[in-house]
Amino acid sequence: MLNIPVLRWGEPYESLETDEVIHHRTGEVLAKVGQANPGLLARDMRKADRARELLREIPIKDLIEMMKKAGDLYLNATLPLGDGEQTPDDFARQQSASTGLPEHMCKFNMEKNHFVLNNMDQIFDALTRGLDLEILERGFGVEERGVPVSYQAQSPVLGMVLPSNSPGVHTLWMPVIPMQIGLVLKPGPQEPWTPYRMFAAFTEAGVPKEAIGIYPGGPDMGAETVARCGRVMIFGSTQTVKNYAGNEQVQVHGPGYSKILLGDDVVDQWEGYIDLMADSIYKNSGRGCINCSGVWASRHTEEIAAAIAEKVGGYEVKDPTDPEAGLAAFTVPNQAEAIWGMIEEGCEENGTTHVTAKHGDRLVQMERCDYIRPTILHCDSPDRKMANTEYMFPFTTVVECPQEQMIDKIGGTLVASAITNDEAWARQLTDATNIDRLNIGAIPTIALNWLQPHEGSIVDFLFNARAYQTSDERLKRLCNGG
Amino acid sequence: MAELDQQVQEAKAALDAQAVEIVKWHFSPETGCPFWLDWAKEAGWNPAEEITCFDDIIAKFPHFQDEWLRDKQPEVWVPQEFKGQPFNIFETGGTTGMPKQRIGWNDYKVDYSEFSDTLDDEAFPKNHYWLMVGPTGPRRLRLAIEHLANVRGCSCYFVDLDPRWVKRLISEKQFDQAKAYMEHVVDQATTIMKHREVSALFTTPKLLESIAERCEAEGGSLYESGVRGVFCGGTTMDPQYTRFLCEELLENKIGFVPTYGNTLMGLAKHKPLTAEDKYSITYYAPQPRAVLRVVNPDTDEPVDYEEWGRVELTTLTKEFFMPRFLERDEAIRRAPIDTYPWDGVAEVRPFGALTKKIVEGVY
C-alpha cells in the first residue's frame, strides 16, 4: 500500500486525514491519500503567481519538449509515487482497480495521454491557430500578416476538479503547462493515479515542481478550487453545468449526450452503419462523454435498435484483467442499482421499449461493485422521457424523429455524427449552436481529431485576446519583428 | 497509574455527592422547581429519595426532551430558592421556530472563572483587551466571555454574528449572501483589530481563517496584529484542521485554546495539545457540574475508549438539572487524565456527519 501526500506547489505535505483508495473487486487498500483542508489551498494560492513566473522563465518551445519527454516517462518509466514507486503496469492495474475500468482500457488511455504529450507541438499549433509562441510568452507581438496582437493570461494557474470515473479526461489539461500556466489539481477520490504520475513525469522532465499543486479532498476541496482559481475546469452532471452557466471563470464538462443522426438520404441503408453505431456506443466501456447515447433517424428505428441490441446486447461482464473485458464496474455503492431503477421507470412509458431485454438481465450485482450490461432502448418519439438520456455505461436510445425536427429536438449535444450527403441539412447542422463537435459523414462519435478544440479552445479560456497599441519602434525593438 | 486511579475514584465520589445533592435540591418542595416537582408526581417515584449516586440518574431518568425547553414558560425552571430574582434567558442554536431556552443566574460565571486558571498568561495577558467575534445576541457565550475577560482584568470588544441567519442562507443555497455576510463580520473584526489593541481573540474556526486571511492580504498576520491567544469553538475541528490552524494561521506562536461548550452544559476544558496527540482535541466536561458520556445510540451504553458514539450531557447545578440530554454531536470516548480524572470527548463533530450533510456554515 502506498501513502500519497498532498502536494503544495510540489512539496509533499503529510495530512493527518487520509482517504483509502480501494480495489473494487478485492477490497484491497491500494493507497492512503492525504486529504487537504480547503484552507491549505486558500493559503497556497498566495503563491500562485510564482507558479507562472517560474514557467515563464522557460521558453514555450522548451516546455513542449519537456512534455514529449514527460509523455515517454509517463508511458514507460518507473516513477516515484508517495512513499513508493510505480511502474507503468502498476499504474494500469491500480487505475483499473479503483475506477472499475478494464486494465487494457487503462493502458489505452495511457497511450492516448502519451500521444497528446508527444504531439504537443502540433496540438499547440492547432490550438493557438499557428500563433508565434514568442507572442504568447511575451503577451504581445506582431503576426506574420503584420497585425499587432496581444494575449493576456487570465489566471496564473488553472484549477482542475477532476472526476473519478473517466481517466480519459486528463488529455484536456496536458497543454496547460506549456502555456506557462500552473496547475492546481483536485483529483477524483478514486483516480489519484494520473495527476500524481503526470506530476512525477513532468518534474522528471524538467518542469518546476512549484508549478503544480495536488490537493485531494472532499467536495469542499472542489468548491475551494473553484472559488480560488481564476480559471477552473470541472466535470459534473447536467445540474453542475447549469450551476456554472455564464460563469466565464469556469469551464464545465458535463454529460455529452453525443449522438448519431441518420439523414433521410441514407437511412434506408442503415444496416451499413450498425458497426459504426456499436463502436460509438460500446468502445472504451461507453463511459465517455463522446460515447454515443442516442441514434436518431426518421424511419427504420425499430430495426436499427434491434440490430444494435443484437450486436452489443450479449456482452458479458469479464474480469478487469481480461483483455476482452469491455464493461467498466460501478464502484460507488448503489449507483448502478439506482441508474437501473431510473431506466426501468423510464421504460414504463408507452412508446419506450427495452430492446436488449431478450439478451438477459442487465444489472449484475457483485460484493463490492456492480455492472450494467449494454442497454438499448427504442423511443417512438423524441418527446419520450428516455429520448435524451445518458448514463456512464454502454447505453443508447434509438429515437424516431423526422429529420426536419432533429436539430431542435436533440438538445445540447457534445458530438453529433450526422451521416448524410444532404448539403442543405449539413449547412443547418453546421449552424446549430446546440452541437459542439460536428462530424459530417460516417465518423464514429468517439473518433477525435486531437488537433481540434474540445468544448471550446483552452487557449481562449486561459487567454484573452485584447487590443495592445504601442509605437512601431517599440514593437520592433521588443519583438524583433516576431 | 495508581495515582490516577485514586483521582478517578475521588472524582467519581464527588460526582455521586453532587448527583445526590442536586437531585434532592430540584425534587424537594422547599427548594425545587415546578417542572421537576410536577414531573416526579407524574413519574410516580421520588428522585429526591431514590437517587443515591450518579449511576442512578443514568439508570432511572429517561433522556431529557429538548421540547421541554421550547414549550414550557421559563418560570417553570425557577428553583424555589431563586424565586423573585430576575434571571438571564439564554438560547441555543435555533434556525427557525422557537429556540431552546435555558434560564440562569450565576452558573455561566462559574465555569469560566475556573477556566481562567488554566490559561497561560503569556497567551492571554491580564489587564488587556479581548475581542469576541461570534454569536452574541441571546447566547450565554457573550456574557460568559465578557466575564472571563473581566476575571483576568481585561475588557472585551464584540462583533456579532447571527448563526441562524447564516444557516438559513446556506440552507437556501444563497452562498453569495452568506459570503457577503461573513465578509461584513470580518470587516468589523479587522477594523477593531487595526484601531484597538487586542491580544486575545475568541471566535469560530471559519471566522478565524477569514480574519487571518484578511490580515495577511493586508500584508500582516494575526501575530503581527497583536493577537497572542485564540479561543476557538462552535464547529468541528478535526485533527488536520486543528493542525492547520496551529501551524499555518497561528504560526505556532499564538496560544490556541479550543473550546467545547454550550448553553446547556457550560464550558468543557481541553487537554493541552501535544505532538503525541496528533492534534486530536479532547474535551473534559466541568465535572461534577456537568457530565459528558459517549454512548452507543442504539443501546445507550458507553462505547469503549477510542470508539465513536453520541454525546450525552447531564447538567447538575442548583440552577438547572438536566439528565441525559442527547446532544446533536458525536465524539470519540477518551480515558481520564491527571488534570481531569473523568471521561473525555474527542474530535467532536455533528452526529451523523459521515452520513449526512450538516449545515455548519461560518458558525
Side-chain angles (χ1 to χ4, degrees):
Chain A
M1 189 201 64
L2 293 159
N3 291 292
I4 303 177
V6 176
L7 290 179
R8 305 177 70 182
W9 301 129
E11 278 302 316
Y13 175 87
E14 306 286 345
S15 172
L16 293 177
E17 196 186 341
T18 59
D19 187 38
E20 292 182 343
V21 185
I22 307 282
H23 192 302
H24 72 278
R25 287 277 182 111
T26 65
E28 174 198 352
V29 179
L30 302 161
K32 281 190 177 174
V33 180
Q35 302 293 288
N37 57 285
L40 287 180
L41 176 62
R43 299 182 67 71
D44 290 354
M45 282 305 290
R46 293 178 305 171
K47 294 179 186 162
D49 286 335
R50 176 85 181 131
R52 179 153 160 78
E53 281 163 17
L54 285 168
L55 290 169
R56 290 186 86 180
E57 289 172 9
I58 306 170
I60 290 178
K61 64 176 176 42
D62 293 351
L63 287 170
I64 288 174
E65 287 308 310
M66 287 178 194
M67 290 298 103
K68 292 182 178 184
K69 190 178 170 192
D72 291 340
L73 290 164
Y74 164 77
L75 188 67
N76 301 313
T78 296
L79 295 169
L81 175 61
D83 58 0
E85 52 183 27
Q86 184 188 55
T87 66
D89 283 345
D90 290 339
F91 173 82
R93 186 185 65 84
Q94 289 159 337
Q95 190 180 61
S96 167
S98 63
T99 65
L101 209 64
E103 265 186 47
H104 71 91
M105 290 186 193
C106 295
K107 286 185 174 164
F108 172 71
N109 275 317
M110 290 177 81
E111 298 278 356
K112 201 166 68 174
N113 288 336
H114 175 258
F115 176 87
V116 170
L117 289 168
N118 234 252
N119 290 278
M120 190 57 77
D121 40 5
Q122 292 173 57
I123 289 169
F124 220 74
D125 190 57
L127 290 173
T128 62
R129 298 177 188 93
L131 189 71
D132 182 340
L133 298 181
E134 287 184 15
I135 294 178
L136 207 58
E137 279 169 16
R138 196 186 301 116
F140 64 93
V142 183
E143 285 185 330
E144 275 185 16
R145 61 198 167 111
V147 179
V149 290
S150 175
Y151 290 88
Q152 183 188 46
Q154 296 301 292
S155 170
V157 295
L158 172 68
M160 297 285 306
V161 183
L162 293 160
S164 271
N165 56 18
S166 190
V169 304
H170 297 295
T171 49
L172 289 174
W173 54 269
M174 301 289 131
V176 174
I177 290 287
M179 286 179 199
Q180 299 174 314
I181 303 281
L183 282 168
V184 168
L185 305 174
K186 190 266 165 192
Q190 289 151 282
E191 216 289 87
W193 314 108
T194 307
Y196 280 95
R197 188 166 175 81
M198 281 296 171
F199 170 81
F202 282 9
T203 49
E204 198 139 321
V207 174
K209 66 177 183 181
E210 297 87 347
I212 303 170
I214 306 183
Y215 298 86
D220 54 347
M221 198 60 230
E224 193 71 12
T225 306
V226 173
R228 297 287 174 176
C229 298
R231 285 289 183 273
V232 191
M233 207 182 271
I234 63 173
F235 300 82
S237 62
T238 303
Q239 187 56 47
T240 313
V241 175
K242 279 185 191 160
N243 289 348
Y244 291 102
N247 185 341
E248 63 175 19
Q249 284 178 251
V250 183
Q251 191 181 81
V252 195
H253 296 266
Y257 300 108
S258 296
K259 298 177 184 77
I260 292 170
L261 313 177
L262 279 175
D264 282 351
D265 58 321
V266 300
V267 70
D268 295 332
Q269 291 84 51
W270 59 270
E271 285 161 305
Y273 305 109
I274 292 299
D275 284 349
L276 180 149
M277 292 174 193
D279 281 354
S280 298
I281 294 164
Y282 179 72
K283 276 205 167 167
N284 212 13
S285 81
R287 193 175 265 194
C289 52
I290 57 175
N291 280 109
C292 174
S293 58
V295 173
W296 290 51
S298 60
R299 53 187 181 268
H300 303 302
T301 49
E302 288 184 22
E303 296 124 284
I304 294 169
I308 302 172
E310 194 65 38
K311 190 93 186 162
V312 301
Y315 287 130
E316 299 281 355
V317 172
K318 289 191 165 68
D319 190 89
T321 57
D322 187 332
E324 298 295 315
L327 297 172
F330 286 87
T331 56
V332 177
N334 307 321
Q335 192 178 28
E337 199 176 356
I339 288 172
W340 187 247
M342 284 190 270
I343 294 170
E344 281 191 315
E345 192 187 324
C347 288
E348 286 170 9
E349 187 183 20
N350 281 339
T352 299
T353 314
H354 176 199
V355 189
T356 29
K358 66 177 182 182
H359 296 279
D361 288 344
R362 301 291 95 187
L363 179 64
V364 179
Q365 293 182 286
M366 294 187 171
E367 190 186 347
R368 291 191 178 85
C369 66
D370 302 314
Y371 289 82
I372 309 180
R373 296 170 63 209
T375 302
I376 308 298
L377 307 187
H378 177 265
C379 287
D380 64 2
S381 154
D383 298 326
R384 301 286 170 236
K385 200 162 68 175
M386 298 303 286
N388 208 348
T389 44
E390 175 182 296
Y391 300 105
M392 46 181 281
F393 75 99
F395 171 88
T396 276
T397 310
V398 181
V399 180
E400 187 174 321
C401 176
Q403 179 183 295
E404 61 272 19
Q405 292 179 22
M406 257 184 226
I407 292 175
D408 282 343
K409 296 280 187 179
I410 58 172
T413 299
L414 174 60
V415 186
S417 285
I419 306 177
T420 183
N421 297 304
D422 177 351
E423 284 301 330
W425 192 44
R427 272 197 302 280
Q428 290 173 25
L429 287 159
T430 305
D431 292 343
T433 53
N434 54 331
I435 297 172
D436 190 73
R437 302 184 75 117
L438 178 62
N439 300 326
I440 300 285
I443 302 167
T445 59
I446 51 170
L448 294 190
N449 178 343
W450 292 103
L451 303 183
Q452 303 258 9
H454 183 81
E455 293 195 78
S457 161
I458 192 162
V459 181
D460 296 343
F461 181 51
L462 295 176
F463 291 86
N464 187 26
R466 53 126 186 224
Y468 188 95
Q469 299 186 98
T470 187
S471 68
D472 289 348
E473 182 277 321
R474 182 169 177 269
L475 266 184
K476 272 185 191 160
R477 176 164 47 85
L478 293 176
C479 306
N480 197 24
Chain B
M1 197 62 190
E3 198 177 325
L4 178 60
D5 288 344
Q6 177 67 26
Q7 287 176 297
V8 169
Q9 290 310 315
E10 285 169 12
K12 186 176 181 308
L15 176 60
D16 287 340
Q18 178 92 351
V20 172
E21 183 191 354
I22 295 303
V23 169
K24 267 199 168 54
W25 170 273
H26 285 280
F27 289 89
S28 300
E30 53 279 15
T31 51
C33 68
F35 176 85
W36 285 120
L37 293 170
D38 290 348
W39 183 91
K41 273 183 215 156
E42 281 191 27
W45 61 287
N46 187 356
E49 288 175 3
E50 295 185 36
I51 296 296
T52 60
C53 62
F54 178 74
D55 287 347
D56 281 351
I57 291 178
I58 299 301
K60 295 182 177 179
F61 277 99
H63 291 299
F64 187 90
Q65 301 298 305
D66 57 359
E67 286 79 20
W68 294 335
L69 296 174
R70 287 197 183 94
D71 299 345
K72 304 282 179 191
Q73 295 298 323
E75 54 269 21
V76 304
W77 301 101
V78 178
Q80 192 65 24
E81 175 97 349
F82 292 93
K83 211 168 176 185
Q85 295 181 41
F87 44 77
N88 298 117
I89 305 172
F90 299 118
E91 295 183 357
T92 71
T95 306
T96 54
M98 190 64 196
K100 292 195 286 282
Q101 292 175 330
R102 175 194 169 174
I103 63 169
W105 291 265
N106 296 305
D107 267 1
Y108 75 88
K109 296 179 181 173
V110 178
D111 292 348
Y112 283 77
S113 295
E114 206 175 78
F115 183 55
S116 175
D117 298 337
T118 68
L119 296 177
D120 172 8
D121 285 354
E122 273 195 31
F124 301 95
K126 289 184 172 161
N127 307 315
H128 207 260
Y129 292 95
W130 291 22
L131 168 64
M132 175 184 166
V133 187
T136 60
R139 284 176 190 75
R140 188 173 117 128
L141 188 63
R142 186 246 185 268
L143 286 182
I145 295 301
E146 190 157 42
H147 172 74
L148 176 60
N150 294 164
V151 164
R152 299 181 67 77
C154 299
S155 296
C156 189
Y157 300 100
F158 290 90
V159 173
D160 180 44
L161 174 130
D162 180 357
R164 295 173 187 171
W165 182 238
V166 176
K167 283 184 183 176
R168 191 165 147 184
L169 290 173
I170 292 174
S171 296
E172 292 173 0
K173 297 191 179 352
Q174 296 189 59
F175 300 117
D176 287 349
Q177 285 294 312
K179 193 176 168 192
Y181 181 59
M182 191 155 90
E183 289 295 315
H184 170 62
V185 171
V186 171
D187 281 346
Q188 296 173 73
T190 50
T191 299
I192 295 280
M193 289 164 70
K194 258 185 258 176
H195 293 93
R196 296 286 182 268
E197 287 186 3
V198 171
S199 57
L201 183 61
F202 196 110
T203 191
T204 68
K206 291 280 180 207
L207 281 168
L208 177 64
E209 260 190 89
S210 297
I211 292 168
E213 191 176 343
R214 179 72 65 85
C215 290
E216 287 161 12
E218 292 172 0
S221 69
L222 276 177
Y223 187 83
E224 285 170 26
S225 70
V227 174
R228 294 294 176 267
V230 167
F231 301 98
C232 229
T235 51
T236 309
M237 283 183 278
D238 63 35
Q240 170 57 28
Y241 190 58
T242 307
R243 173 194 177 190
F244 165 73
L245 296 178
C246 292
E247 290 181 352
E248 313 255 344
L249 305 189
L250 310 182
E251 306 170 90
N252 289 326
K253 293 194 289 195
I254 296 174
F256 182 62
V257 176
T259 62
Y260 176 59
N262 58 41
T263 298
L264 303 178
M265 173 180 70
L267 182 72
K269 284 168 268 194
H270 80 290
K271 179 183 179 230
L273 288 168
T274 64
E276 298 81 63
D277 292 329
K278 292 192 172 172
Y279 292 98
S280 177
I281 305 170
T282 307
Y283 298 106
Y284 291 86
Q287 213 168 290
R289 297 185 300 281
V291 182
L292 288 173
R293 298 196 317 146
V294 181
V295 299
N296 178 326
D298 297 326
T299 64
D300 276 347
E301 290 298 316
V303 297
D304 290 337
Y305 288 120
E306 300 303 320
E307 294 288 324
W308 285 91
R310 188 164 181 176
V311 177
E312 183 201 88
L313 165 69
T314 296
T315 302
L316 297 163
T317 73
K318 287 187 172 177
E319 293 183 10
F320 189 52
F321 170 62
M322 186 185 70
R324 304 186 62 214
F325 176 71
L326 285 172
E327 292 280 9
R328 290 180 183 171
D329 290 325
E330 61 190 13
I332 298 170
R333 183 185 175 201
R334 286 269 159 83
I337 56 173
D338 286 346
T339 336
Y340 308 112
W342 50 86
D343 280 3
V345 300
E347 298 187 27
V348 182
R349 67 189 183 196
F351 182 63
L354 284 185
T355 52
K356 62 188 180 198
K357 196 176 170 187
I358 309 285
V359 174
E360 285 196 292
V362 295
Y363 173 52

